[in-house]
Amino acid sequence: MDPNHCFSDDDRIASRRQLMRLGMSPLDLTEGVRAGQLLRVRRDRYALPSTAPAILEAVRVGGVLSCISAADFHGIWVPDEPSTHIAMAHQASRMRSPGNRFVPLSLDNRDGCELHWWPLVEPGAASLHSVSVVDSLVHIIRCRPRTIAVAALDSALFEKKIACSGLERIFAAVPAKFAP
């Protein structure tokens, strides 16, 4: 079975359960990985070979894209940055190196990835590979310089990724020192 029909533009990562619900068998998954049609990114997480490297790194570590990495994915202007920003759940375990799912994560093999352990404003809006637009903006405000945060917020408003009324919710989720 061809795994390409199981992924949409929004769903870059699929769980084993999702793929099996769409008609793939365990044998199809194994054969897809062996044939190079599927990547086993992490236990129970699969992707197509064309998936962006930042998404693969985030999922392989055990989190999802966050901050400027997620904003870029959502079509919000942010400056180019070589590191991948990853949101981690507080109970995250079995974290792996961004380059190899068999190697446990350590300070020596992070490959420039920045981990964010902050709670999410919209945890239900996160996908298997990225936080929501609102959460990406909250993390940018907390992580990046003020000028970049202002530019990202302006871009999100201009691109209609958030409404003006959404700014209140964003600033309510950050410490008071970041308030406008």
Side-chain angles (χ1 to χ4, degrees):
M1 171 180 269
D2 180 22
N4 286 309
H5 79 279
C6 297
F7 294 85
S8 69
D9 288 340
D10 293 336
D11 297 324
R12 309 290 170 100
I13 299 291
S15 69
R16 182 176 195 271
R17 178 179 288 171
Q18 289 171 326
L19 293 172
M20 292 183 74
R21 246 188 271 136
L22 292 170
M24 293 191 79
S25 69
L27 182 60
D28 291 332
L29 294 174
T30 301
E31 288 176 352
V33 170
R34 286 185 182 153
Q37 296 175 317
L38 270 179
L39 297 175
R40 184 174 288 126
V41 183
R42 182 178 175 85
R43 182 180 179 193
D44 192 38
R45 297 289 186 260
Y46 295 86
L48 295 175
S50 60
T51 303
I55 293 173
L56 297 176
E57 287 179 349
V59 173
R60 194 172 288 125
V61 167
V64 294
L65 288 180
S66 179
C67 196
I68 60 173
S69 301
D72 184 42
F73 173 78
H74 289 301
I76 296 169
W77 181 90
V78 287
D80 290 335
E81 187 168 314
S83 61
T84 302
H85 292 246
I86 304 169
M88 303 296 294
H90 285 285
Q91 71 276 15
S93 64
R94 300 181 187 204
M95 294 175 286
R96 299 292 179 227
S97 162
N100 186 336
R101 68 186 178 97
F102 298 109
V103 178
L105 185 68
S106 70
L107 289 175
D108 297 331
N109 66 10
R110 278 195 186 172
D111 300 331
C113 289
E114 291 193 34
L115 306 182
H116 296 294
W117 297 89
W118 302 309
L120 298 179
V121 177
E122 298 179 333
S127 66
L128 289 177
H129 60 79
S130 178
V131 298
S132 69
V133 170
V134 168
D135 280 310
S136 69
L137 293 168
V138 167
H139 288 193
I140 288 172
I141 292 168
R142 294 181 80 150
C143 174
R144 309 312 304 156
R146 185 177 287 249
T147 54
I148 292 173
V150 169
L153 288 165
D154 183 55
S155 174
L157 289 166
F158 181 78
E159 298 292 338
K160 297 187 180 1
K161 303 292 182 180
I162 60 168
C164 286
S165 59
L167 291 175
E168 288 179 29
R169 187 165 186 218
I170 290 169
F171 283 107
V174 296
K177 70 179 183 178
F178 298 113

